[in-house]
């Protein structure tokens, strides 16, 4: 009888540990964010709640062209703890109140990977490695009034202006450890066409699900 009772208690404890471990894994791996603008419309609309897989940056998995990612923009100051892969920092972030979720993050789509040659041509078409991207997710073609990518530049959130690709004629090459990101709503998005390449260490995760007010799985990148 005592042996049976012991195994019953042990089974309950093991189940509790499993439930707790699963809860902690989900809590540290998945984060919900509210979309605060229409720069990713129509894929993501203002005030929609989106879930992000936050394990992507901690495991060092390579990002793919077409993924929608959550990141700290280059003009936002961050501390080492904000991008640390340490599990304890993940726990701190997971259980911190929303008021402490700082600094400000942004959501864009990965267009160029390290080593890619990217060009935005007059008319708004985007070319990567000489091939035109098929972008059914884009709301309107980019109207950057360009002759070449080196013409891109505009106001930053902090004010002033920048020309991130000065001296580059036509296509630019994405450097190692960086990506080139654009918003789907091309003419209403502050992204790589304004502030340059995005260091991959600033990326927090990839979008996987629109949770509210509609329930929709975010499709993966096209091969």
């Amino acid at each position: 009888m005592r042996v049976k009772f012991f195994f019953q208690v042990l089974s309950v404890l093991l189940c509790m540990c499993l439930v707790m471990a699963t809860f902690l894994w989900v809590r540290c791996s998945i984060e919900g964010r509210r979309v605060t603008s229409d720069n990713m419309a129509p894929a993501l609309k203002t005030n929609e709640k989106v879930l992000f897989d936050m394990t992507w940056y901690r495991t060092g998995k390579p990002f793919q062209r077409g993924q929608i990612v959550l990141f700290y923009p280059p003009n936002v100051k961050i501390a080492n703890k904000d991008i640390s892969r340490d599990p304890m920092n993940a726990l701190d972030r997971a259980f911190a109140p929303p008021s402490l979720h700082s600094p400000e993050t942004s959501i864009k789509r990965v267009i160029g990977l390290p080593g890619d040659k990217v060009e935005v041509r007059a008319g708004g078409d985007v070319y990567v490695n000489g091939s035109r991207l098929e972008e059914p997710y884009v709301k309107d073609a980019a109207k950057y009034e360009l002759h070449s990518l080196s013409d891109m530049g505009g106001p930053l959130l902090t004010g002033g202006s920048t020309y991130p690709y000065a001296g580059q004629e036509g296509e630019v090459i994405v450097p190692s450890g960086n990506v080139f990101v654009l918003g789907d709503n091309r003419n209403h998005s502050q992204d790589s066409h304004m502030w340059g390449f995005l260091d991959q260490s600033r990326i927090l995760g990839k979008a996987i699900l629109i949770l509210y007010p509609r329930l929709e799985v975010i499709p993966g990148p096209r091969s």
Side-chain angles (χ1 to χ4, degrees):
M1 181 67 69
R2 289 182 178 180
V3 173
K4 183 178 180 180
F5 177 75
F6 171 79
F7 280 107
Q8 287 176 336
V9 172
L10 182 61
S11 297
V12 171
L13 290 175
L14 288 174
C15 287
M16 290 177 62
C17 289
L18 180 61
V19 169
M20 181 60 70
T22 301
F23 170 77
L24 289 175
W25 182 85
V26 172
R27 192 69 182 86
C28 294
S29 302
I30 306 296
E31 245 184 65
R33 296 295 176 95
R34 183 176 66 86
V35 180
T36 58
S37 72
D38 268 346
N39 58 50
M40 280 299 295
L44 304 178
K45 301 179 179 65
T46 302
N47 291 325
E48 288 187 329
K49 188 78 169 182
V50 181
L51 295 185
F52 289 86
D53 177 2
M54 308 295 277
T55 63
W56 212 264
Y57 82 103
R58 287 198 294 270
T59 57
K61 294 179 182 178
F63 290 93
Q64 296 175 278
R65 189 180 302 109
Q67 283 180 332
I68 297 175
V69 294
L70 177 75
F71 62 93
Y72 296 124
N75 58 306
V76 172
K77 292 183 178 179
I78 58 175
N80 288 335
K81 65 179 180 64
D82 295 320
I83 57 175
S84 172
R85 297 182 180 181
D86 187 287
M88 294 308 297
N89 277 325
L91 281 172
D92 288 342
R93 284 176 50 82
F95 291 96
S99 60
L100 296 182
H101 280 174
S102 60
E104 182 181 357
T105 54
S106 184
I107 305 171
K108 306 294 179 197
R109 191 182 297 272
V110 175
I111 299 297
L113 302 170
D116 279 347
K117 297 178 180 179
V118 181
E119 183 177 6
V120 182
R121 297 184 182 177
D125 288 340
V126 177
Y127 285 74
V128 177
N129 300 323
S131 298
R132 177 180 174 275
L133 285 186
E134 294 293 335
E135 299 187 287
Y137 44 77
V138 170
K139 183 175 183 179
D140 296 302
K143 298 178 181 177
Y144 297 149
E145 298 182 358
L146 305 176
H147 295 292
S148 68
L149 194 58
S150 59
D151 295 329
M152 293 197 299
L156 293 175
L157 293 175
T158 54
S161 62
T162 182
Y163 290 86
Y165 309 107
Q168 297 284 346
E169 292 299 328
E171 62 189 15
V172 295
I173 299 177
V174 183
S176 176
N178 289 261
V179 291
F180 185 97
V181 297
L182 293 175
D184 290 356
N185 194 355
R186 294 284 154 86
N187 300 302
H188 301 277
S189 176
Q190 299 197 33
D191 47 39
S192 284
H193 93 272
M194 299 180 78
W195 38 247
F197 302 115
L198 173 67
D199 191 315
Q200 290 188 56
S201 66
R202 286 178 166 264
I203 301 178
L204 298 174
K206 66 165 186 171
I208 55 175
L209 179 71
I210 301 171
L211 187 63
Y212 178 84
R214 55 188 170 122
L215 186 63
E216 182 179 321
V217 175
I218 296 176
R222 294 184 173 187
S223 58

